Amino acid sequence: MSDTTTHAMERFVDSQPILNMLTLLTKTGRDHFHSDGAWEVCLCALILKLEPNCKLHRVLEALPHERRAMDEADFLNTLAHLGYFCRKAECEIYDIDTRLLPAVFIPTEGDPYIILGENQTGDMQFYDPLAKVISQAPPTLSKSGTVWFFQRYEDNKSSLSKFMRKGSGYTWFRALISRFRNIFIQIMITGFMLNIVALATPLFIMVIYDRVIAASAMDILPMLMAGAFLAIGFEYIFRRIRSRGLSWLAGRLDNIVSNKIFAHLTGLSPDLIEKASVTAQIARLKTFEAVRDFFSGSVFLSLLEAPFIILSLAFIMWIAGPLVWVPVAGIAAYIVLFMLVRHKVKTSIRLAAKATSMRQQFTIDTFDKLEAIRVSGLSDKWQEKFRHLSGKEMMGHFYLNWLGMVAETFAHMLTVLTAVATIGFGVHMVWAGTITTGALVAMMILVWRVLTPFYSLCTMLPRLEQLRNSIAQVNNLMEIETEAEIARSYSKLSRIQGSIQFDNVSFQYNKKSDLVFSGLSFDAKAGDFVVITGGNSTGKTTVLHLIQSLYNPVNGAVRIDGFDIRQLDAPDLRRQIAYIPKTPHFFSGSIIDNIRISNPTASRNEIYAALELADAMQDIEALPQGLDTIIGPNGNGQLTDELQTQLSLVRAYLHPSSIMLIDELPNTLLFGNAGKNFKDYLARMKGKRTIIFCTYRQDIMKLADTIVWLRGSEAPLCGDRDTVLNRLELVQEKAA
């Protein structure tokens, strides 16, 4: 056994690390993590065994949202969210391969426990989550049960990873579909059997015409009827199996892709997300609906039937010989029609989608600016523009629907012509004695069966093109690297010291817009207090966003502790920075949960002290449930604007970071006790915490070490407090 494994074993001798982890999780508000919860203790023990250096924020992100006693499903879901495959087996304890340990064993009778592995003498080691002891004997007498093994998930081994797709040449969606290869095989085999059984119907009708009616042989009718009912029974069974398979496939794909798209969107760089409109983001989330509907709709069934058309054609050739060329010619005509209409449909779909997006974006902008529109008297003009955009959208969809109707009309015409041609040539063959009347009737059934999939494809052409576009959008989206993927090759700072340097930084939101500022250079040492000032739209908030790596500079570099932030793990960097935005943000949950976002392990006493510092304690106590009051994204109307800002201050006070960024504070707050306490806090933090504050207030500027004055089109002015304040006073005197 290696030294590393031996050291890991030693950590379990007195269970103290596990108890410490349980206590830590309890401090975060997870009160159900007490020492009596078997699954909770097993989880902590297993995490410490599998990943001793796992960060607390990863564990909290992996835990279930509901705070209740854990069960087996919660335990497995948490491990899956932490990045581990969970594999199940039914076996005896001593039949387990020790190379697969550690594992969780659930005996037939009793509570779960951890099988750690072998000690140096080769004896199995068991951890009892209730007694908190390690022993060489299982905690229960039951030796059989269920065992769960855990293996670290490796991205590069996933069929959806870029590494694997590069080797296979698959797109993201194609790689996803390949994971369901077995279910597709099952569906295709079922479809093959279904088509074999379906041939019994035309064969039955042919025999009825030729053997029963023509020969008046009623004695064989009961036997034929029994065979027909048997075929119907088999067809029902096969159709049910295929329907269940298709339903499961559609539901599973919907679940996987919807979650993957949502996770991917939330993981993209903010710079990319903010470039797209709200409408575009919603459209991305809804993109897969067309794909889901396809797999559960008639078009996909038609595609599944297409490969088995050869069975029907072979049967037609067997009973009617050269008459098979009539449906073959009909299929060729369908293919020509499909290709002719498809190009026009592709163009029409793009134009209709663009028109719909423009109208939706205009609608969202209207509600955002509704008050300004009314005040400016632009309601009539706005309605006129909306009518224009609605008209363009209507015409785009009208043309698309018209093309669909054209394809459907010609497809119907081809079906009728093929049927008429089949009857015409078939009648001559009946007169010539080449085929029987029953064979001609059976032929008509088979011809309809052969043509139906192609008819469906032509009539559903617009939906097929929308499906293709949806899959292309999903593939394009999943090709964009998330911040987590980019960060794998970047560095992490275990602890930020707090020095910040801007070196000749320029920034613009996109290539078409003007520069927000250029040539911005300043150096803030660890523990400095820096004020960013300037007029509206000069880029004060942008400076804070650059420090958080929410944006990247066009030119120059932003450095933290001497490292260019473009070389740092962006999510990890943001976790180490306290930020007070201009507009506070809250999430559905209790007030204390919203506060603990900045510091999950903050005790109630620490939170009370921060509330006193922000002068919010009295207002919180006045709420129905105090800190446990449930609020929503905007406070659910229970929090005033001032209290929301105060709670944002509380978060920053509690955040264990060396850097605090503040995007302005309301004057009403700064004039009160919260403002007085805040100024005292600034004085106490000198040399301990780097604070960058966006403000135009000179009383705050007089406390600063460095002032950065953003002046729009003019070069920024940066320097020590007295120099920049003197320049500001001169400008104000000239303006007066």
Side-chain angles (χ1 to χ4, degrees):
M1 182 176 289
S2 67
D3 293 339
T4 304
T5 306
T6 304
H7 177 69
M9 283 287 195
E10 290 171 353
R11 298 192 65 187
F12 287 85
V13 172
D14 59 3
S15 293
Q16 194 56 49
I18 301 172
L19 296 175
N20 291 343
M21 188 173 179
L22 286 166
T23 302
L24 192 63
L25 289 170
T26 302
K27 286 181 66 178
T28 67
R30 296 273 175 172
D31 298 330
H32 57 289
F33 271 84
H34 49 75
S35 58
D36 296 330
W39 285 110
E40 285 84 350
V41 180
C42 281
L43 177 66
C44 293
L46 196 63
I47 290 174
L48 287 172
K49 179 66 175 172
L50 292 170
E51 200 172 339
N53 297 318
C54 184
K55 300 291 185 182
L56 177 63
H57 73 84
R58 287 192 60 232
V59 178
L60 292 175
E61 289 171 359
L63 289 172
H65 176 69
E66 295 181 1
R67 301 187 178 187
R68 51 178 172 76
M70 293 187 75
D71 55 19
E72 183 180 352
D74 294 330
F75 175 85
L76 296 174
N77 285 333
T78 301
L79 267 298
H81 291 152
L82 283 171
Y84 290 90
F85 281 124
C86 308
R87 292 183 297 153
K88 182 180 180 181
E90 304 287 339
C91 62
E92 297 276 336
I93 291 177
Y94 296 106
D95 293 336
I96 296 172
D97 188 338
T98 56
R99 294 173 298 178
L100 302 176
L101 300 178
V104 172
F105 191 80
I106 309 172
T108 306
E109 296 181 3
D111 294 309
Y113 55 86
I114 304 290
I115 307 177
L116 296 172
E118 293 180 336
N119 60 12
Q120 292 179 339
T121 60
D123 295 319
M124 293 277 277
Q125 297 286 300
F126 303 94
Y127 180 76
D128 185 345
L130 299 182
K132 312 293 188 302
V133 294
I134 293 175
S135 65
Q136 296 176 11
T140 63
L141 296 176
S142 177
K143 301 297 187 294
S144 61
T146 303
V147 61
W148 283 99
F149 300 108
F150 305 95
Q151 182 180 5
R152 185 71 182 172
Y153 174 81
E154 296 182 35
D155 284 339
N156 286 341
K157 292 184 179 180
S158 168
S159 60
L160 298 179
S161 69
K162 290 186 178 180
F163 177 80
M164 295 296 287
R165 287 191 284 115
K166 188 175 181 180
S168 65
Y170 289 167
T171 62
W172 185 87
F173 189 76
R174 175 67 180 83
L176 176 65
I177 290 295
S178 67
R179 292 171 55 176
F180 298 94
R181 188 180 295 108
N182 291 337
I183 190 68
F184 273 111
I185 292 173
Q186 174 191 320
I187 291 171
M188 294 303 290
I189 291 174
T190 306
F192 175 77
M193 298 303 297
L194 185 60
N195 276 269
I196 291 290
V197 172
L199 293 176
T201 301
L203 184 62
F204 171 75
I205 292 174
M206 185 174 70
V207 172
I208 290 292
Y209 269 93
D210 296 341
R211 299 291 177 86
V212 177
I213 298 176
S216 298
M218 298 299 293
D219 54 321
I220 64 171
L221 185 59
M223 183 176 62
L224 290 175
M225 292 294 293
F229 281 117
L230 185 64
I232 292 171
F234 276 115
E235 184 171 357
Y236 168 77
I237 293 171
F238 288 132
R239 286 192 182 278
R240 184 176 180 183
I241 293 172
R242 187 174 68 174
S243 296
R244 291 183 65 180
L246 288 173
S247 299
W248 181 88
L249 177 65
R252 186 65 179 145
L253 282 173
D254 184 31
N255 179 266
I256 292 176
V257 178
S258 299
N259 281 286
K260 289 284 186 182
I261 290 176
F262 185 82
H264 200 80
L265 280 173
T266 56
L268 292 177
S269 166
D271 188 30
L272 292 172
I273 293 293
E274 291 176 10
K275 286 179 181 178
S277 65
V278 175
T279 308
Q281 303 297 357
I282 294 173
R284 283 173 171 173
L285 292 173
K286 291 172 67 68
T287 291
F288 191 69
E289 289 184 6
V291 186
R292 177 198 60 201
D293 294 341
F294 167 75
F295 280 102
S296 57
S298 59
V299 180
F300 186 56
L301 280 175
S302 297
L303 288 175
L304 290 178
E305 294 289 341
F308 305 117
I309 286 173
I310 192 167
L311 291 174
S312 299
L313 291 175
F315 195 73
I316 292 173
M317 181 175 287
W318 176 56
I319 63 175
L323 198 58
V324 72
W325 294 111
V326 175
V328 169
I331 292 171
Y334 275 118
I335 294 173
V336 172
L337 174 64
F338 184 89
M339 298 304 293
L340 288 174
V341 179
R342 181 169 176 260
H343 176 71
K344 292 184 177 296
V345 168
K346 286 170 61 177
T347 305
S348 180
I349 282 178
R350 284 197 296 268
L351 293 175
K354 186 176 180 180
T356 299
S357 179
M358 289 175 63
R359 185 189 65 79
Q360 290 177 344
Q361 183 61 52
F362 182 78
T363 303
I364 292 172
D365 290 342
T366 299
F367 285 110
D368 285 342
K369 304 170 184 175
L370 193 57
E371 184 177 350
I373 293 169
R374 288 172 176 170
V375 170
S376 304
L378 296 174
S379 298
D380 292 339
K381 289 288 184 183
W382 227 252
Q383 290 177 22
E384 183 180 343
K385 187 174 181 180
F386 183 78
R387 281 195 297 270
H388 174 70
L389 292 173
S390 297
K392 286 185 67 175
E393 180 189 16
M394 184 273 292
M395 289 304 298
H397 286 284
F398 165 77
Y399 186 62
L400 178 62
N401 292 332
W402 179 78
L403 286 173
M405 292 299 295
V406 168
E408 183 176 356
T409 300
F410 277 96
H412 181 72
M413 182 180 69
L414 286 174
T415 303
V416 174
L417 288 175
T418 305
V420 170
T422 301
I423 292 174
F425 287 110
V427 167
H428 284 286
M429 293 180 72
V430 171
W431 289 343
T434 308
I435 61 174
T436 63
T437 303
L440 179 59
V441 176
M443 270 284 299
M444 290 303 302
I445 296 174
L446 290 170
V447 167
W448 285 113
R449 187 177 185 83
V450 166
L451 297 181
T452 297
F454 294 96
Y455 174 80
S456 297
L457 290 176
C458 287
T459 57
M460 303 301 288
L461 187 55
R463 288 191 61 187
L464 285 174
E465 281 304 309
Q466 288 172 343
L467 169 71
R468 191 182 67 84
N469 289 340
S470 296
I471 292 175
Q473 288 181 39
V474 170
N475 287 332
N476 292 337
L477 173 65
M478 301 308 288
E479 286 297 326
I480 303 173
E481 287 189 317
T482 62
E483 286 189 317
E485 291 171 334
I486 295 170
R488 286 172 192 159
S489 58
Y490 289 178
S491 303
K492 286 185 179 181
L493 298 178
S494 57
R495 173 70 179 176
I496 291 177
Q497 301 302 313
S499 66
I500 300 172
Q501 182 183 19
F502 274 61
D503 184 7
N504 197 32
V505 172
S506 300
F507 180 79
Q508 64 183 146
Y509 288 103
N510 55 64
K511 293 180 180 179
K512 295 181 181 180
S513 64
D514 296 330
L515 287 169
V516 179
F517 51 74
S518 62
L520 175 59
S521 298
F522 70 88
D523 192 355
K525 298 180 178 60
D528 278 0
F529 176 35
V530 179
V531 165
I532 311 290
T533 192
N536 293 332
S537 303
T538 54
K540 299 188 294 297
T541 301
T542 301
V543 171
L544 304 186
H545 287 171
L546 285 167
I547 295 171
Q548 295 171 287
S549 195
L550 293 170
Y551 301 145
N552 287 321
V554 176
N555 294 307
V558 180
R559 296 186 179 90
I560 292 181
D561 292 350
F563 292 89
D564 190 323
I565 62 172
R566 287 171 291 197
Q567 299 172 345
L568 298 177
D569 182 332
D572 181 71
L573 174 67
R574 292 179 202 130
R575 275 191 289 269
Q576 298 192 59
I577 296 175
Y579 177 50
I580 303 176
K582 190 179 298 184
T583 303
H585 303 296
F586 296 95
F587 303 91
S588 296
S590 66
I591 292 176
I592 195 169
D593 287 340
N594 275 275
I595 290 173
R596 279 189 171 136
I597 286 174
S598 65
N599 185 356
T601 60
S603 66
R604 282 201 173 241
N605 287 337
E606 290 172 329
I607 292 172
Y608 292 149
L611 287 167
E612 290 286 358
L613 192 59
D615 194 34
M617 192 67 199
Q618 189 174 352
D619 290 331
I620 293 297
E621 289 178 339
L623 293 172
Q625 285 84 39
L627 282 172
D628 296 313
T629 301
I630 302 299
I631 59 174
N634 298 313
N636 277 4
Q638 299 188 72
L639 307 181
T640 63
D641 291 343
E642 184 173 350
L643 182 54
Q644 291 183 49
T645 305
Q646 288 169 305
L647 291 177
S648 193
L649 258 177
V650 170
R651 282 177 177 168
Y653 288 147
L654 291 170
H655 200 297
S657 63
S658 300
I659 297 176
M660 178 191 285
L661 308 179
I662 308 169
D663 192 2
E664 298 189 14
L665 289 174
N667 286 329
T668 53
L669 185 141
L670 290 172
F671 283 135
N673 288 332
K676 178 181 179 299
N677 293 342
F678 175 70
K679 292 174 186 177
D680 293 340
Y681 178 83
L682 292 178
R684 292 198 307 274
M685 288 298 109
K686 280 286 186 72
K688 299 177 183 177
R689 200 174 195 186
T690 307
I691 299 176
I692 299 184
F693 189 1
C694 294
T695 185
Y696 58 87
R697 291 175 57 97
Q698 292 206 4
D699 60 331
I700 300 294
M701 292 184 201
K702 290 176 181 179
L703 302 173
D705 298 301
T706 301
I707 297 177
V708 177
W709 182 12
L710 300 176
R711 303 186 293 176
S713 57
E714 296 184 53
L717 179 62
C718 309
D720 63 86
R721 173 187 60 220
D722 296 332
T723 302
V724 179
L725 276 176
N726 289 336
R727 289 289 299 273
L728 273 168
E729 288 173 2
L730 288 173
V731 170
Q732 289 171 355
E733 288 175 4
K734 288 180 181 179

